Amino acid sequence: MYTRIMKITFIQTGGTIDKDYPAGNNNHGYSFEITTPAVKRVLEKIKILDFEYEIIECLKKDSLDITDADREKIKKTCMETPNDKIIITHGTDTMDQTAKCLSSITGKTIVLTGAMRPEKFADSDTDFNIGLAIGAICSLSDGVYIAMYGRVKPVE
Amino acid sequence: MYTRIMKITFIQTGGTIDKDYPAGNNNHGYSFEITTPAVKRVLEKIKILDFEYEIIECLKKDSLDITDADREKIKKTCMETPNDKIIITHGTDTMDQTAKCLSSITGKTIVLTGAMRPEKFADSDTDFNIGLAIGAICSLSDGVYIAMYGRVKPVE
Amino acid sequence: MYTRIMKITFIQTGGTIDKDYPAGNNNHGYSFEITTPAVKRVLEKIKILDFEYEIIECLKKDSLDITDADREKIKKTCMETPNDKIIITHGTDTMDQTAKCLSSITGKTIVLTGAMRPEKFADSDTDFNIGLAIGAICSLSDGVYIAMYGRVKPVE
Amino acid sequence: MYTRIMKITFIQTGGTIDKDYPAGNNNHGYSFEITTPAVKRVLEKIKILDFEYEIIECLKKDSLDITDADREKIKKTCMETPNDKIIITHGTDTMDQTAKCLSSITGKTIVLTGAMRPEKFADSDTDFNIGLAIGAICSLSDGVYIAMYGRVKPVE
């Protein structure tokens, strides 16, 4: 499956991985906001990357708030990109549902990942999980997979 | 290739990934030391991991100092573990050489990885690279591979 | 003002400095919680500290939720500790109000500090601000002060 | 001692605080290099700072390598800046010696600080120590002081 040149399309949908503490004073409280994609910061930190990538900001939602219409939007985004290697960052609570919704797509390798702790936190699992998803997408054939908790599982 | 239970053997050989600043005052200077395996700290940070693992401290050397005898020791360690999924952390300078030395081993999936910046550093690529190696080992069949720079390459 | 032995009493009241992302799955949403005192983690990270300290968990509130009764509780805690060097970690929004409420206390050096970004975040200002407050308390005579934004201001 | 506007001159001399892992491949080994001043990165991380500052790169040495001539250079730099608030970042091994060399300077508040762990490390004490030195310089009258280990000591 190894090719000299590889390109990955990252699709942001929101979830814990992208949560940040609001910068302004107007939101004083206890609440988070969804920021720019964490995957951008992770990949910029790795000084040498031997693949090309693009990042599409599709949704910015906690995954419990993702609707059927949102899932159709994610699916459409996957199908419309000419690229066949796709990593979706997603909240963990409904990652399974979104994965199932995408399982009818053929001819593409799609890996969903996310995080238990926001990327902005010092003890986040984000770097590890993005690495896990990329290690999987480098090695797998077509299909939809979930990469979390140090495992890569095909979606039936 | 998905199995309900997965076990990974991690083998430490040293390299940048495991370099730390000496704690004591007796070494005042500009030099590093090789610490306990970085992979241990990375995996302990991820609160939920759906695989079992062991970590073998085989060597603690900058990879430019690894000798043929050291490579035989690494090979022996790979062959003697009953486990068939092995991730070796290794300095980047001679990772290729060690990978080639291991390529005659059959019946096991062996992935070598390392880091450009020590795990102890705030901007290290270690978490990402350990994730990358695990994502690869979850997905690959037998053989020897190098997981670095966001890619997984088979060793010929 | 330099003494051979120094002891500091830290008083937690809550605020951004102590906010964390909830560990459990039951709170899925966008909200923070106030954790154990950040100052504890900061001081444990500094391997050699040449002073003694105690940490009192007085309140766990966003500072916009602190009431007059809460302020009386903070004041009482300051007065009841036999120690005369006190650092209070506090939300930034109403730090001034609490400082004024404490300004009638005599014979003690009280420094309030906090953070713009929670200590759990990789880019937090917590370590810096705790250092700032300690640098101030080492050097100041009796009174109430706010240590924030790289400055130490007496409270009138 | 509180003034509406404050300016601090930071002087880099090197030491553990500024050590980094070399980026290039030509230095493969176990050695560090002295980078751009750590204090620059620390202050840029704090989003709001209520003082002005300049950073002078005076020396880039492990403090065991600092000579008498180097100390004269540091002293000259302190005396030539029109500013009267100076923080010197310095290796811990000979910080005392440099402090004594500066003790004849009058009309300025000079605080020396450094770090046990390089600023580039995830568990560094640099942010805390820079905060400590600034907290001291906000609060002290003329003299030379060492701010380390959570204490601020006048130099006799």
Side-chain angles (χ1 to χ4, degrees):
Chain A
M1 257 153 292
Y2 182 73
T3 55
R4 203 170 58 79
I5 291 171
M6 182 173 83
K7 182 166 180 186
I8 302 175
T9 297
F10 292 90
I11 299 176
Q12 177 193 37
T13 68
T16 298
I17 193 171
D18 287 335
K19 285 179 186 166
D20 192 14
Y21 193 66
N25 286 322
N26 40 352
N27 185 332
H28 67 83
Y30 297 87
S31 66
F32 280 95
E33 63 184 11
I34 304 284
T35 66
T36 52
V39 71
K40 183 172 186 295
R41 292 183 293 276
V42 172
L43 296 179
E44 284 171 357
K45 190 168 65 183
I46 313 299
K47 296 292 174 249
I48 308 175
L49 279 179
D50 187 18
F51 61 84
E52 294 166 23
Y53 63 92
E54 64 177 343
I55 301 173
I56 299 173
E57 301 186 25
C58 178
L59 280 183
K60 291 180 186 287
K61 287 193 172 183
D62 185 276
S63 80
L64 288 171
D65 298 331
I66 291 182
T67 64
D68 286 348
D70 292 329
R71 291 205 165 82
E72 284 308 312
K73 189 180 174 195
I74 298 170
K75 190 173 183 178
K76 195 155 169 273
T77 308
C78 289
M79 288 167 71
E80 281 178 359
T81 175
N83 193 16
D84 63 358
K85 289 185 189 297
I86 298 169
I87 291 174
I88 300 171
T89 56
H90 198 287
T92 53
D93 285 310
T94 69
M95 196 182 279
D96 282 5
Q97 275 177 257
T98 301
K100 268 174 200 153
C101 167
L102 303 175
S103 63
S104 59
I105 299 176
T106 55
K108 291 178 186 269
T109 311
I110 300 173
V111 180
L112 293 93
T113 193
M116 290 177 277
R117 299 270 299 167
E119 181 267 341
K120 291 283 187 181
F121 281 63
D123 63 348
S124 176
D125 52 330
T126 298
D127 288 29
F128 177 85
N129 292 344
I130 297 293
L132 186 78
I134 295 174
I137 218 163
C138 287
S139 314
L140 291 165
S141 50
D142 296 356
V144 180
Y145 305 86
I146 287 178
M148 280 296 293
Y149 314 114
R151 297 300 298 271
V152 181
K153 298 190 189 185
V155 174
E156 289 113 43
Chain B
M1 259 153 293
Y2 181 73
T3 54
R4 204 170 57 81
I5 291 171
M6 183 174 83
K7 182 169 179 183
I8 302 176
T9 297
F10 293 91
I11 299 176
Q12 177 194 37
T13 70
T16 298
I17 193 171
D18 287 336
K19 284 178 185 166
D20 191 13
Y21 193 65
N25 284 323
N26 39 353
N27 185 332
H28 67 83
Y30 297 86
S31 66
F32 278 95
E33 63 182 13
I34 304 284
T35 66
T36 52
V39 71
K40 183 173 186 294
R41 290 183 293 276
V42 172
L43 296 180
E44 284 172 357
K45 190 168 62 183
I46 314 299
K47 295 293 173 249
I48 307 176
L49 281 178
D50 187 19
F51 61 83
E52 294 166 24
Y53 63 93
E54 63 177 345
I55 301 173
I56 300 173
E57 302 186 25
C58 178
L59 280 181
K60 289 179 186 289
K61 288 192 171 184
D62 185 277
S63 79
L64 288 170
D65 299 331
I66 291 183
T67 64
D68 287 349
D70 291 330
R71 292 205 165 82
E72 284 309 312
K73 190 182 174 192
I74 298 170
K75 190 173 183 178
K76 197 156 167 272
T77 307
C78 289
M79 289 167 71
E80 281 178 0
T81 174
N83 193 15
D84 63 358
K85 290 186 189 296
I86 297 170
I87 291 175
I88 300 173
T89 57
H90 197 286
T92 54
D93 286 309
T94 69
M95 196 183 279
D96 282 4
Q97 276 176 255
T98 301
K100 269 174 199 152
C101 169
L102 302 176
S103 63
S104 59
I105 298 176
T106 54
K108 290 178 187 270
T109 310
I110 300 174
V111 180
L112 291 92
T113 193
M116 291 177 276
R117 300 270 300 165
E119 180 267 339
K120 290 284 187 179
F121 280 62
D123 63 349
S124 176
D125 52 330
T126 297
D127 287 29
F128 177 84
N129 291 345
I130 297 291
L132 186 78
I134 295 173
I137 218 164
C138 287
S139 313
L140 292 164
S141 50
D142 296 357
V144 180
Y145 306 85
I146 287 178
M148 279 296 293
Y149 314 114
R151 298 299 298 270
V152 182
K153 296 190 190 184
V155 174
E156 289 115 43
Chain C
M1 259 153 293
Y2 182 72
T3 53
R4 204 170 58 78
I5 290 171
M6 183 173 83
K7 182 167 180 184
I8 301 176
T9 297
F10 293 92
I11 299 176
Q12 177 192 37
T13 68
T16 298
I17 194 171
D18 287 335
K19 285 178 185 166
D20 191 14
Y21 193 66
N25 285 321
N26 40 352
N27 184 332
H28 67 83
Y30 297 87
S31 65
F32 279 94
E33 63 182 10
I34 304 284
T35 65
T36 52
V39 72
K40 184 173 186 295
R41 292 184 292 278
V42 172
L43 296 180
E44 284 171 356
K45 189 168 65 182
I46 314 298
K47 294 292 174 249
I48 307 177
L49 280 179
D50 187 19
F51 61 82
E52 294 165 23
Y53 63 93
E54 64 177 344
I55 302 172
I56 299 174
E57 301 186 25
C58 177
L59 280 181
K60 291 180 184 287
K61 287 193 171 182
D62 186 277
S63 79
L64 288 171
D65 299 332
I66 291 183
T67 63
D68 287 348
D70 291 329
R71 291 204 166 83
E72 285 307 312
K73 189 182 176 193
I74 298 170
K75 190 172 183 179
K76 196 156 168 272
T77 307
C78 289
M79 289 168 71
E80 282 179 357
T81 175
N83 193 15
D84 63 358
K85 289 185 188 299
I86 298 169
I87 292 175
I88 300 172
T89 57
H90 196 286
T92 54
D93 286 311
T94 69
M95 196 182 280
D96 282 4
Q97 277 177 256
T98 300
K100 269 174 200 153
C101 168
L102 302 176
S103 63
S104 59
I105 299 177
T106 55
K108 292 178 187 268
T109 311
I110 300 174
V111 181
L112 292 93
T113 193
M116 289 176 278
R117 301 269 300 165
E119 180 266 342
K120 290 285 187 180
F121 281 63
D123 63 350
S124 176
D125 52 331
T126 298
D127 288 29
F128 177 84
N129 291 344
I130 296 291
L132 186 78
I134 295 174
I137 218 164
C138 287
S139 313
L140 291 166
S141 50
D142 296 356
V144 180
Y145 305 86
I146 287 179
M148 280 296 292
Y149 313 116
R151 297 300 299 270
V152 181
K153 297 191 189 184
V155 174
E156 291 114 42
Chain D
M1 258 153 294
Y2 181 74
T3 55
R4 203 170 59 80
I5 290 170
M6 182 174 82
K7 182 167 179 184
I8 302 175
T9 297
F10 292 92
I11 299 177
Q12 176 193 36
T13 68
T16 297
I17 193 171
D18 286 336
K19 285 179 184 165
D20 192 14
Y21 193 66
N25 284 323
N26 40 352
N27 185 331
H28 67 81
Y30 298 86
S31 67
F32 279 95
E33 63 183 11
I34 303 285
T35 66
T36 52
V39 70
K40 183 172 186 294
R41 293 183 290 278
V42 172
L43 296 180
E44 283 171 357
K45 189 168 63 182
I46 313 299
K47 296 292 172 248
I48 307 176
L49 280 179
D50 186 18
F51 61 84
E52 294 166 24
Y53 64 92
E54 63 177 344
I55 301 172
I56 299 174
E57 301 187 25
C58 178
L59 281 182
K60 290 179 185 290
K61 287 193 170 183
D62 185 277
S63 80
L64 288 170
D65 299 332
I66 291 183
T67 63
D68 286 349
D70 291 331
R71 291 204 165 84
E72 284 307 313
K73 190 182 174 192
I74 298 170
K75 191 173 182 177
K76 196 156 167 273
T77 307
C78 289
M79 289 166 71
E80 282 178 359
T81 175
N83 193 15
D84 63 358
K85 290 186 188 296
I86 298 170
I87 292 174
I88 300 172
T89 58
H90 197 286
T92 53
D93 286 310
T94 69
M95 196 182 279
D96 282 4
Q97 277 176 254
T98 300
K100 270 174 198 153
C101 169
L102 302 175
S103 62
S104 58
I105 299 175
T106 54
K108 289 178 188 270
T109 311
I110 300 173
V111 180
L112 293 93
T113 193
M116 291 177 277
R117 302 269 300 166
E119 180 267 341
K120 291 285 188 178
F121 281 62
D123 63 349
S124 176
D125 52 331
T126 298
D127 288 28
F128 177 84
N129 291 344
I130 296 293
L132 186 77
I134 296 173
I137 218 163
C138 287
S139 314
L140 290 165
S141 51
D142 296 356
V144 180
Y145 305 85
I146 287 178
M148 280 295 293
Y149 314 115
R151 298 300 297 272
V152 181
K153 297 189 190 186
V155 173
E156 291 114 41

